[in-house]
Structure formats: C-alpha cells, structure tokens
C-alpha cells in the first residue's frame, strides 16, 4: 500500500484545543439581551383532552410579549413518513411532556414566571402504555384521523388501528423453511423507551427578518432538513431560510428531529419576527423532545440439526410513542436488516410502527438496530442451546457472506459487506472464548461471557446527497466547506484528513468550516447514519480532484507542459519526470501573475458532490429493495462477574471487532466506538423510561435516570478489521453508531447464561434478574 | 453580616478579576457566570446537580454552579474553565483524545485540574472517586482517566 | 432557574443568625437556614419550596468546626461531607458519607443539611443515631444540648427558628467494631435501596437503616441472638420490628428491598459472627 500522509494517522482533532479551553461556542452560548425568551408549557398527562387554556394572567405578567398555543398553527401537521403531529398540541395531548403553549417574554425569568401562570384544564383519558396494548382489537385509537393524514408513498399506515407503518418482508418460502427445520425456538423480548441524553440539551433561535428571510440557529444534526421542513409546513421558499449550526454537544440521533425549530419559528412570527430563543431544560429534553424507540419483539427461528437456520418469522412492534415521525422510518430500517447478519433463505417479518401514549421517538444511534439485534441474538443463543452447539460455531455457520442476499433480497458483494467471519474469529480470541462461557470464581461468583453479531446499513433515502467546496487562502491553506455537523464524532477532522491526503499536504494547512450555514455550505443530507464519512468524504475527494485538475491546468501553461506531466504534492506543482522544475501552489491558487503583470487563471474553487447510487425503496408486499450502499458488520462480546447471591454484576470486559473498512483516524475511531459500546452497556444495564399506569414518566431527570459513570466502566478491547469498501473514501465504511449495536444483545446473552435464566427484558437490573423466573 | 435584598450589585472574584454584576439572590452562580459575565465555558446540562457540566472551583474546590447561589460566592475566589490557560490538564485532554463533543469537557477539566492540584499523587481510587461526579455521554471515560493519570505521572 | 425572589443573609455569628430569623419571621415572612443549598436550590427551581429569606450559615465559625474536646468529637452542622470523609476521625461516619452522592456534591452537602432536609434517606444520620449522639441547638432561648432523637425522629423535630449548630459524638463509640453497606438499584451513585450501618457495643449490635422505610431508623439486637447456622429467625425478628412499611418505588419493589435487606443482614451476622 502506498504510504499515507494523513489517512490512518492519529491526528489530533481539529476542534480539541478550543473545546479544552472552554472557548467553543455551542448554540445556547451565544445570546444577546435583545433576544426574547420562550418557555414551553408541557402536558402533565399522557392522554387528555385539553378543556381550556387560560393565558390571561400570563399575558399581563411583566415582560411577557405573547403566549401562543396550538391554535396558532391550526391545520399544520408535521412528521416524516406520516404527518400526524401538530407543533403544539391542539384539543388533545397524547403524551406526558407534549408541548402545549409557549410564553414569549423579555427575559428567561419573565418567560418562566409567565409559564407558571398559564392554567390548563385537562380531562384525563385512558392511556395505551405499551405497543401490545395498542395492538389489542378493542384498543382505542391514538389517532382517529389517521386515514386523513398526509403520508409519504413508502409508508403504509393502517387507518382504524394504531399502526402508523407496516413493513413486510416476505423472502423465500416459509412452508419449505419450516419443513426443513428440525429444531424450532421462539423468543419474546421487551425493550422500553430510553433517551439520548446528549449533554447539550436542544436549543433553537429563530428570527423572521423584515425582508421575509428566516434565520434559524439550531443545535441539530439536520440543518438542511430544518430548511426543508419549515419550507414545507409554513410555505416558505427554502431559499429564504438560513439555518446556522455551530458545534453540537452530542446528538446520538436525537438532534435529527425537527421540533423546537417549528415552535421557535411560530413564536418569532407571533412577536413580529423578533429573534427568540428556546432552550430545553433537561426534563424537557428527555420527555418533550423525542426519545429512543421501545420494542416488543417475537422471533421464531427454525434450523436443521447441524445448525443451518432455515426459517425466521419475526414480529417487531416499535413503540413510536404518540407520533410516528422517525419511528415509522426506523420500522422500515429494522425490517430491511431484520434477521441480523445471517443468511436466511426464508424470512417472514412484520415490522410495525405502533402508536402509544408515550413520548414520540426519533433516530437513536444504531437506528433501530441495537434494539432488534437484542431479540435476534437472544434467539440465536437459545437456538445454540437447543442444538447443543457452540454459540460462535452456530453463528459462523450462518453468517451472511458475499453472494448471499439480505432480507430485502439485496445481493451482498465482497465490497458492500465486511468480513464477519474474521470479526467473529478475532472476537473469539480477544474474548478468550476458549476459557469457557461460564467459570466459577467462588461460592457466589461466576465469570461469564456473552456475544452478539450485528450488521447495519445506512437506510438513507435513495437520493441522499452531499457536497464540498474548496477555496484557498492567499498563502495556500485549503479551506473546506462542507455541510456535515460536528457532533463529537470527529467528522471535521476526518474530512481534513481526507483532503490533506488527496492534496498531499500537511493537515495543518487544511481548514474545515466548523459551523454550518445552510446558505453558504453545500448541502449534506443530514449528519446521521454513520454515513457522513462515506458521503461527504466522497464529495471532498471529488472537490480535491477538481482543485488538482485546475491547479495543473494553470501550472501547465506556466511550466509549458501538458497537465498530464504534472503532479501536485506538498504545496507544490512539479513535473513528474523532472521534479526540480516546480512552482508553489500559492502562485496559482489565486491566479498566476507573470512578471509583467499579466495574469491568468483566477481563484481556484474546487467543487465536489456525491449522491447515493442504486438505492431503491422497498416493495410494499415483499420488502424487496436496496436500502443502503454497504453493510458494516461486527462481532461483540462482554465478560461479566455475576453474583449469584445478590443477582448483581460487574461488567469487566467489553470487546468489539468491527469491519469498518479503512480507518481514517484510529484514535478517534476507537474513542467513538468505545463511546458507543459504553452507551450500549449503559442502555442495556440501567436506562429506561419508567412509566406509571397513567403513562407518566417517573424518571425524567438525571437524578433518577442514570447514564453510566466512570466507576462502572469495563475494560474495552477494540479491534478493526479493515476490508476496504471500493466506493468509500480511501476504502472507509460507516463507523460511529456501530460500537453500540451489539452491546445490549451481548449483555443480555451473557447474563442469561450467568443467571441460568431466560432474560427477555431491559434494562438488566439486579432486581429484574432476581424477579425473572 | 453580608446581606442582599432584591436584585443588587454584587462583586464576584472570577478568574483573578473582580467583577461587578447585578444579581437576584435567587440567581444561581451558573446563570450569572453565563448570562451576565459571558463565561459560557461553564455548561448547563441538568441544572440539578447531577452531571457536573457546570463545575467551577470555589477557593480551589470543585462545586456545582447550578446548585449554588451567585451571592454565596461573594467573598470567595471563583475559577472557571476560562481561568485555566493551557494548564497541563487541558493539554492532556487534547493529547489523549479525551474530548469528543466537548460539552462535558470544561467540567471534567476543572474537576480534574482541582484533583491534581489538591492531590498531586492521587491514587487510581481517588481519581475514580473524583471523576465519578461527571457524566460524559460520548466517551467510555478511558481517555479521560488516561489524561488525568498522565498529569499525575508528570 | 428559581422564579420566586428571596433575600439572602450570611450572618457571622449564631446570635446574628437567630436574630435575623426572628426579625424576618416577625414581619410575617418565612425564613429558612441555608447550608449546602443542594436541596434548597433543586427543590426551589421546581417550586417545591417557598420562602422569603435564606440565612446562609456557612460563615458561622461554630457551624464549621471539626474538633475533639475531651471525650467528645464535635462536628459543625455546616461541615461538608468531603471534609468529614477526609478528616477520618470517625471511620463509620466517613464511610457512610463517602457513599452519599458523589465527590463534587459532597463538597457542598453539609452534615446538618443531610439530616434536616426533606430527603427521606438522610444517610449521614445513621452513625449519629447508633452512637446516641447529642446536638447543640441554638434558638431564641440560647443554646442547648439535646439527644439526636430530639431533633430527628421519623422527621425533623426542630422548632421554627432553631439552628442546628453542631453534633457531639461520644468518642467511646468511635473505635467500636462497625459495618456499613449501601445497596442501590444498579449505580454506585444513587440513593440507597437500603443502607445499613451498624455498631457493636458490648453485647448489643445497633443497626441503622436508610432507604428501607421512608425515614432512617435504628434497631438494636442482642449479639448473642445471632445464630449463623440459622440466621432466618433473627432476620425475621428484625424485619418484624421495622417501624413503617417497606418502600415500594422506582428504585425497587418492597419485595426486592426485603430480599436485599435479608442479604445485608446475613452479611452483617457473618461479619460479627466471625468476631466470636
Ligand atoms: C447529586 C446528589 C445526590 C445525592 N445523593 C444522596 C444520597 O445518596 N443519600 C443521601 O442521604 N443524600 C443524598 N443527597 C443529598 C440530599 O439530597 C440533600 O441535597 C442534602 O442532604 C442537603 O444538604 P445541604 O447541606 O445542601 O442542605 P440544604 O439544601 O442547605 O438544606 C436542606 C434543609 O435542611 C435545613 N438545614 C440545613 N442546615 C440546617 C441547620 N444547621 N439548622 C437547621 N436547619 C438546617 C434547611 O433549612 C433545609 O430545609 C444527594 C444530593 C445530590 C445533589
Ligand atoms: S448542570 Fe450542574 S450538575 Fe448538571
Ligand atoms: S465529550 Fe461529549 S459528553 Fe463528554
């Protein structure tokens, strides 16, 4: 392999110094006294008619400018696949925490005081507290009006039920599959909703300028999506909307949703377009803004005696909460990869997006994959037990390899799927599988291991696109303008590395635009799905090639040769066969000036763009289609010390072996992977919304909802297999979410072995293990 | 006896400077630092004492500025992340890749800096005891621990 | 953000504190003493508390001491938990405090605030209950010394305006055998499902519980009654004497709390039994 300058190097993150100094400005760090402050009033009930909203006292409170309620956006319904959600509740609330009204005042204090004066009279209604409750034949409807909602064509809501989307996979011949199966196992799994807990809560500023231009500042993963949604719902030209996004303090999928932006826009509109700011409190960020899906899964697998899986019948009930939004999209993504990375010829899967009276959901790191993977992998472990077969062996026997097809009948190739066999074999070594799955340590303690495989494709829309623009400073620094948001995942650094590599310059001479301005930076679909490196990276390469081409064209004139004779490297352009003859790129990037003053060329501006190719929607009846350009695969494991007396445990080791293609920045890649693993273990072991019988969330703050802290962390072992993806920038695949995906599955498998119980619920608290029969 | 009624002018000794600001006795130190003094390096994440994003030093000891009244800090020395200029802990966080989104970082660095100042030879146990206070949602904490240890071993 | 307004006083002496309290309440207004503020601020921001003035007691020297006088250990009510842990003079109290909240919070939470707050756990009171500690209370009538159970028994019992100045621990207990164990739902940093602290004093074992019921309490057992071959009957005895229903909440069901408590008691029996 050619030696590389920047790719594969532990480059220090381009945003690190400012962050360490506390100088990085996040969205809510920039305010000024002229801003008006918004405070939401949110529902105290999970389901209720709003009998009245009395804003009279609030309206006359000091500093209050306006109080807005749902009426202000009468008739506007928003959503992604199904448009079912009013920006502010009208007539009815459908989840605990749903925004109902907003007080707009001169200061934060006055807004909050005003909000305390808004009186809402509710008429409580019964609640649907789980997807299976919502599926009961006599269940009431969360949305009576489902038939009349606008919807995208790829979505199939079922009016008269609580099903917002119904995605079917019908692959192969189930009758044959069951006939060939000698052993059949079934599993049910329940996973409650949870929350992203990005440390920065969501915030927005909105302003409508006198000339009709709209300026939004948002802590978001999707600045360009905000532009589209505002345009769609409020009938504004996208060209008049500019969204600014600075550094984002963690997102994990949660900031891909467009919610507060619409509320802030309405608030600004209500006060004559003045700039308003709306910042979620932690409590609001957890329950009013969207959270992670819940899932109820039933999986039935059939296999031959020697362990070849022949049939899979699966039902996934996605708890999307009260509004379908990204829940309906994830339902589809779950269906498309529904079996996990196994080659199963006969698959029957119903993936249903089900309304409940829970907070509504949005994408979460893994986009539904960590949730269903837990169900599949739990069942595979059960199958191994039934077959009396080694768990790694059983998986090896069934993993998907080039030539196989996915549940949507996409054909896997050497390039579009990574090497799972190698991942599993490496996991086996790293996890010291040979030591035994379960070893007694002393009277009360056993040491146990558990594993999981996973795969994930990006589930992007078939026309998702990105762009990149390169300009130069007079002294030859390359300035890269992209639309990808920095959320902590190291995107800006990775893009700088890709550009430095392609231009063959020191990374210090590459500057990436840190903040996004949708009017200036070329559009990037959204910064999600671990697809940013792949998409934006490809655009950057194209832009770099464009720049190189332009530099060569001008230099060829100056050096009196053909552009073909030239090479650009180290900030110089030189003749390939006579490197003594060169000019500095600074002489050409802003036009070349001859000694007599004549000039040629002008500024060099590189452009690159990328659009997904060959992706297609899924067939309504069979699910056939091509959901993503590539599959990242991996194998993960955990090792746990389990106390049989107390049912408590300590996770001691966690291992990930992931085929992420070429690794752009190893230290960042393993940091992000470790973060994902840590989040996966945290979700699996402790995180969940706890609802009471009335659908009220009992733990909407960090005193009672507890993400993992340093003392609970295991040792992390992370290995990358680097099977290059031919279409990826320098062979990179997606990486970012994947550390999380198999972790909950590995942990539930491990603890099931340790406790000798069939665990099938999350989170895996000692009480849950104790209680499970 | 110090007393403050209604909104009044208070003097805060922040990062070595004496600052004069108007504050209600009910205003938290976090609010005054961010909104009145523009020291936005100190972050608000839970506003309830649970995450340590808002940590500042009061006479050298870490405290949660979201649970402290600004008036309580009168007469004490406050240090925020902006008051640390290229201290070893900041360099260590950069070099050990202990920063991802960076939102927990100011609180982490302030707390870790205080730890290594007060206990230059802190054991792993003490490091863990101190860092337990801070939530980081991005990392698996390993790089953060390494950064702190690297300063202790310097 | 706290939306209601209040006045702030930081007296330098106990007398000043008592007088300012009297003055405020004389105007038909509500004053509260303010120590670490951790509970006051977090409850006020969600309007679960209301008052017109806070009286910050952290500048009062008597509330800030840790000292030994003759056979007494005296700890000021405004001493923060970190200082108590670092001081090390009363190992059981240090061990209990070290498991309350986390380090930075302990820099703020005070001993007095922990035992007089609204929070149901008040873990720091356990060692004080077990050692029959005394407290100094100041009020309009001056200072007086009282047994700890006169200021806390199921709930705080201080009269309006009374200030807890310090806690006086009889040193004779400090080196007695003791144990402490805190069990949580899952996290290390969390409120207790059950915390048990115990002290052996001659032939009795005094056991303090937090988390099991809605308030902390103490039960004594006779050392000789411990029969490690058959702990069940004594454990049942203890559970029968628990003074209030076992808590059932999001941290754990009552049944699970009982299960955890049984395990803790077995550990405790084994620990003391092993000393036989
Ligand atoms: C993140 C976190 C986790 C926690 N975890 C735990 C835990 O696991 N276990 C546990 O037991 N506690 C825990 N706590 C502590 C508890 O919730 C309270 O916040 C704390 O005990 C209050 O102490 P303070 O000094 O801040 O009191 P303050 O908030 O100042 O006061 C509390 C109450 O006590 C009164 N008061 C205080 N001092 C005096 C005095 N000298 N005389 C008369 N009245 C007085 C006040 O008027 C007020 O009513 C935790 C706190 C936090 C922030
Ligand atoms: S913001 Fe202060 S502890 Fe979270
Ligand atoms: S780096 Fe994002 S929370 Fe720690």
């Amino acid at each position: 392999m050619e030696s590389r300058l920047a790719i594969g190097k532990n480059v220090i993150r381009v945003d690190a110094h400012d962050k360490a100094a506390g100088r990085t400005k996040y969205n809510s760090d920039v305010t000024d006294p002229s801003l008006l402050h918004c405070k939401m009033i949110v529902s105290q009930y999970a389901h209720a008619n709003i009998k009245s909203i009395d804003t009279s006292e609030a309206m006359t409170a000091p500093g209050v400018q306006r109080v807005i309620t749902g009426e202000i956006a009468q008739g506007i319904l928003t959503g992604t696949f199904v448009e079912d959600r009013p920006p502010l509740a009208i007539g009815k609330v459908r989840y605990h925490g749903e925004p109902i009204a907003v007080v707009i005042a001169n200061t934060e204090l006055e807004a909050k005081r005003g909000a305390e004066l808004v009186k809402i009279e509710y008429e409580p209604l019964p609640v649907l507290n789980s997807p299976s409750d919502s599926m009961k034949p006599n269940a009431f409807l969360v949305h009576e009006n489902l038939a009349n909602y606008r919807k995208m064509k790829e979505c199939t809501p079922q009016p008269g039920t609580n099903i917002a989307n119904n995605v079917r996979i019908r692959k192969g011949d189930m009758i044959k599959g069951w006939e060939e199966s000698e052993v059949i196992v079934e599993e049910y799994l329940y996973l409650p909703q949870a929350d992203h807990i990005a440390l920065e809560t969501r915030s927005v500023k909105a302003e409508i300028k006198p000339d009709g231009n709209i300026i939004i500042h948002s802590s978001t993963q999707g600045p360009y999506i905000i532009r589209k949604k505002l345009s769609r719902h409020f009938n504004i030209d996208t060209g008049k909307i500019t969204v600014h996004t600075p550094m984002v303090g963690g997102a994990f999928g949660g900031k891909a949703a467009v919610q507060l932006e619409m509320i802030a826009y309405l608030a600004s509109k209500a006060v004559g377009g003045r700039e308003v700011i709306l910042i979620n409190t932690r409590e609001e960020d957890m329950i009013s803004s969207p959270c992670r899906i819940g899932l109820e899964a039933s999986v039935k697998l059939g296999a031959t005696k020697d362990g070849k899986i022949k049939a899979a019948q699966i039902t996934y009930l996605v708890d999307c909460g009260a509004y379908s939004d990204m829940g309906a999209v994830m339902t589809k993504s779950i269906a498309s990869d529904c079996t996990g990375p196994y080659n199963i010829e006969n698959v029957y899967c119903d993936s249903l997006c089900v309304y409940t009276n829970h907070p509504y959901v949005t994408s979460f790191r893994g986009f539904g994959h960590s949730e269903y993977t837990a169900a599949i992998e739990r069942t595979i472990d059960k199958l191994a037990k039934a077959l009396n077969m080694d768990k790694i062996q059983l998986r090896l026997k069934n993993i998907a390899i080039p030539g196989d097809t996915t549940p949507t009948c996409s054909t896997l190739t050497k390039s579009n799927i990574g090497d799972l066999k190698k991942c599993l074999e490496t996991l086996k070594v790293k996890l010291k599988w040979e030591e035994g799955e379960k070893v007694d340590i002393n009277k009360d303690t056993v040491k146990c291991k558990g594993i999981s495989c996973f795969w994930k494709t990006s589930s992007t829309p078939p026309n998702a696109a990105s762009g990149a623009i390169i300009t130069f400073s007079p002294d030859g620094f390359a300035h890269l303008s992209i639309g990808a948001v920095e959320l902590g995942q190291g995107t800006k650094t990775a893009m700088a590395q890709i550009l430095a590599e392609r231009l063959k310059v020191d990374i210090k001479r590459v500057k990436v635009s840190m903040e996004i301005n949708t009017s200036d930076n070329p559009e990037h679909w959204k910064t999600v799905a671990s697809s940013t490196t792949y998409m934006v990276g490809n655009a950057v390469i194209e832009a770099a090639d464009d720049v190189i081409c332009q530099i060569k064209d001008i230099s060829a004139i100056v050096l009196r040769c053909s552009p073909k004779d030239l090479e650009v490297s180290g900030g110089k352009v030189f003749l390939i066969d006579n490197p003594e003859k060169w000019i500095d790129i600074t002489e050409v990037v802003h036009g070349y000036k001859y000694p007599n003053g004549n000039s040629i060329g002008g500024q060099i501006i590189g452009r690159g763009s990328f659009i997904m190719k060959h992706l297609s929607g899924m067939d309504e009846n069979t699910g056939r289609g091509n959901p993503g350009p590539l599959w990242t695969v991996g194998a993960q494991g955990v090792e746990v010390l389990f106390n049989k007396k107390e049912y408590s445990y300590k996770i001691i080791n966690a291992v990930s072996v992931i085929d992420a293609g070429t690794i752009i920045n190893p230290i960042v890649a393993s940091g992000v992977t470790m973060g994902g693993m840590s989040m996966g273990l945290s979700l699996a072991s402790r995180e969940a919304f706890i609802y009471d019988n009335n659908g009220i969330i009992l733990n909407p703050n960090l005193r009672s909802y507890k993400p993992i802290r340093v003392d609970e962390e295991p040792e992390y072992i992370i290995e990358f297999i680097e099977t290059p993806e031919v279409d990826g920038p320098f062979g990179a695949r997606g990486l970012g979410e994947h550390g999380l995906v198999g972790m909950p599955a590995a942990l539930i498998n491990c603890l099931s072995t340790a406790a000798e119980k069939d665990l099938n619920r999350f989170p895996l608290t000692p009480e849950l293990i104790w209680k499970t029969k | 006896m110090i007393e403050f009624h209604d909104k009044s002018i208070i003097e805060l000794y922040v990062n070595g400077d004496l600052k004069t600001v108007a504050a209600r006795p009910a205003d938290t130190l976090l609010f005054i630092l961010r909104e009145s003094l523009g020291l936005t390096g100190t972050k608000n994440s839970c506003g309830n004492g649970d995450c340590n994003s808002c940590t500042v030093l009061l006479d050298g000891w870490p405290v949660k500025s979201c649970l402290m009244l600004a008036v309580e800090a009168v007469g004490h020395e406050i240090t925020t992340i902006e008051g640390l200029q290229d201290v070893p802990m900041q360099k260590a966080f950069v070099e050990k890749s202990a920063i991802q989104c960076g939102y927990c970082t100011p609180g982490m660095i302030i707390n870790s800096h205080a730890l290594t100042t007060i206990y230059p030879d802190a054991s792993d146990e003490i490091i863990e005891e101190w860092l337990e206070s801070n939530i980081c949602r991005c990392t698996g904490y390993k790089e953060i621990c390494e950064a702190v240890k690297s300063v202790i071993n310097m | 953000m706290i939306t209601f307004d209040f006045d702030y006083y930081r007296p330098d002496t106990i007398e000043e504190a008592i007088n300012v309290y009297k003055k405020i309440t004389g105007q038909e207004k509500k004053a509260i003493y303010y120590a670490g503020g951790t509970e006051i601020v977090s409850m006020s921001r969600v309007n679960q508390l209301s008052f017109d003035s806070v009286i910050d007691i952290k500048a009062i020297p008597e509330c800030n001491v840790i000292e030994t006088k003759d056979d007494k250990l005296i700890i000021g009510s405004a001493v923060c938990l970190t200082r108590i842990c670092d001081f090390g003079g009363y190992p059981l109290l240090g061990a209990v405090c070290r498991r309350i909240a986390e380090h930075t919070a302990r820099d703020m939470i005070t001993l007095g605030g922990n035992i007089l707050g609204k929070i149901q756990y008040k873990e720091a009171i356990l060692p004080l209950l077990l050692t029959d500690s005394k407290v100094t209370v100041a009020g309009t009538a001056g200072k007086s010394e009282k047994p700890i159970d006169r200021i806390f028994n199921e709930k705080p019992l201080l009269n309006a305006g009374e200030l807890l100045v310090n806690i006086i621990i009889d040193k004779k207990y400090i080196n007695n055998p003791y144990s402490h164990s805190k069990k949580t739902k899952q996290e290390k940093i969390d409120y207790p499902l059950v915390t048990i602290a115990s002290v052996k004093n001659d032939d009795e074992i005094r056991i303090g519980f937090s988390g099991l019921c809605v308030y902390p309490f103490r039960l004594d057992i006779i050392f000789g009654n411990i029969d490690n071959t058959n702990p069940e009957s004594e454990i049942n005895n203890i559970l029968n004497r628990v003074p209030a229903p076992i808590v059932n909440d999001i941290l754990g069901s009552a049944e699970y709390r009982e299960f955890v408590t049984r395990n803790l008691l077995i550990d405790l029996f084994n620990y003391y039994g092993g000393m036989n």
Side-chain angles (χ1 to χ4, degrees), chain A residues 689-710:
Chain A
F689 279 162
I690 304 171
Y691 323 94
D692 72 6
N693 289 337
N694 300 316
I696 300 297
I697 289 156
L698 300 174
N699 57 343
N701 57 55
L702 299 183
R703 190 68 58 88
S704 45
Y705 182 108
K706 307 192 76 82
I708 196 165
R709 291 176 190 254
V710 64

Side-chain angles (χ1 to χ4, degrees), chain A residues 12-13 15-17 19-26 28-31 108-109 113 195-201 247-250 252 281-283 364-365 486-489 667-668 670-672 674-676 678-679 682-683 687 701-703 705 707-711 713-716, chain B residues 7 24 27 31 34-35 38-53 64 67 81-86 89-91 93-106 109 127-143 145-146:
Chain A
I12 288 194
R13 301 172 57 110
D15 49 351
H17 287 97
K19 284 178 174 174
R23 296 270 204 93
T24 300
K25 294 285 182 188
Y26 298 84
S28 65
D29 290 341
V30 185
T31 58
E108 190 184 335
L109 176 64
R113 280 181 174 164
D195 194 50
H196 308 81
I197 318 284
L199 274 204
E200 180 205 17
T201 62
M247 299 283 108
V248 171
F252 317 114
T281 60
R282 173 57 56 193
E283 288 85 345
F364 192 107
R365 207 175 197 173
E486 180 61 55
L487 317 160
Q489 81 284 40
I667 194 170
V668 172
S670 59
V672 169
M674 192 189 299
S678 168
M679 186 181 262
S682 183
L683 286 162
E687 293 182 40
N701 57 55
L702 299 183
R703 190 68 58 88
Y705 182 108
I708 196 165
R709 291 176 190 254
V710 64
D711 52 279
E713 291 283 4
E715 287 305 317
Y716 288 100
Chain B
K7 191 160 187 164
R24 299 158 61 225
D27 285 332
F31 179 81
R34 285 180 58 87
E35 307 304 327
L39 294 169
T40 55
T42 305
K43 300 299 180 211
N44 181 10
S45 178
C46 70
N48 193 48
D50 300 315
C51 73
N52 250 30
S53 303
K64 297 166 190 276
L67 286 189
I81 186 74
E82 292 89 345
L84 302 187
Q85 277 167 23
D86 232 2
M89 195 57 73
Q90 286 166 311
K91 287 192 193 138
F93 267 63
V94 170
E95 275 156 23
K96 298 287 173 193
S97 201
I99 302 171
Q100 289 187 27
C101 80
Y103 211 77
C104 71
T105 305
I109 289 182
I127 295 173
E128 187 166 293
E129 183 181 351
W130 279 58
L131 292 187
E132 261 164 21
S133 296
N134 296 60
I135 295 177
C136 172
R137 191 58 159 169
C138 298
T139 70
Y141 299 95
K142 295 293 166 193
E143 300 94 337
C145 292
E146 271 174 42

Side-chain angles (χ1 to χ4, degrees), chain C residues 116 146 149-159 162:
Chain C
L116 292 174
K146 298 177 176 178
D149 59 10
R150 292 279 298 286
I151 67 154
F152 177 85
N153 192 344
E154 299 186 12
K155 57 179 188 295
L157 300 173
L158 281 184
N159 294 319
E162 278 185 329

Side-chain angles (χ1 to χ4, degrees), chain A residues 702-703 706 709, chain B residues 48-52 64 67 72 133, chain C residues 21 31-43 49 51 54-58 63 76-81 96-97 99-102 104-106 108-125 136-138 151 156 158-159 161-167 182 184 188-192 195 210:
Chain A
L702 299 183
R703 190 68 58 88
K706 307 192 76 82
R709 291 176 190 254
Chain B
N48 193 48
D50 300 315
C51 73
N52 250 30
K64 297 166 190 276
L67 286 189
E72 261 184 284
S133 296
Chain C
Y21 189 97
I32 60 168
Y33 293 115
Y34 183 101
T38 59
E39 180 173 294
I40 295 176
V41 174
S42 53
M43 290 182 74
L49 272 186
F51 43 82
V54 294
I55 303 167
D56 184 348
I57 60 165
K58 290 194 292 298
C63 295
S77 62
V79 172
C80 72
L81 302 188
V96 171
C97 289
R99 283 300 311 277
I100 294 175
E102 29 72 11
T104 307
R106 291 195 291 272
M108 307 177 77
I109 299 169
T110 66
L111 182 59
N114 188 255
I115 64 185
L116 292 174
K118 303 263 182 296
I119 184 161
Q120 66 194 57
Y121 307 108
K122 304 179 188 348
E123 289 177 80
I125 204 171
T136 308
V137 172
I151 67 154
L158 281 184
N159 294 319
E162 278 185 329
L163 171 71
L164 175 63
V165 178
N166 60 30
I167 285 109
K182 174 169 178 169
T184 57
K188 178 173 169 208
I189 312 293
D190 200 354
Y191 295 137
T195 291
S210 162

Side-chain angles (χ1 to χ4, degrees), chain A residues 41 62 73 310 344 525 527 672 716 727 754:
Chain A
I41 296 103
K310 287 289 172 185
I344 306 178
W525 164 60
T527 308
V672 169
Y716 288 100
D727 291 332

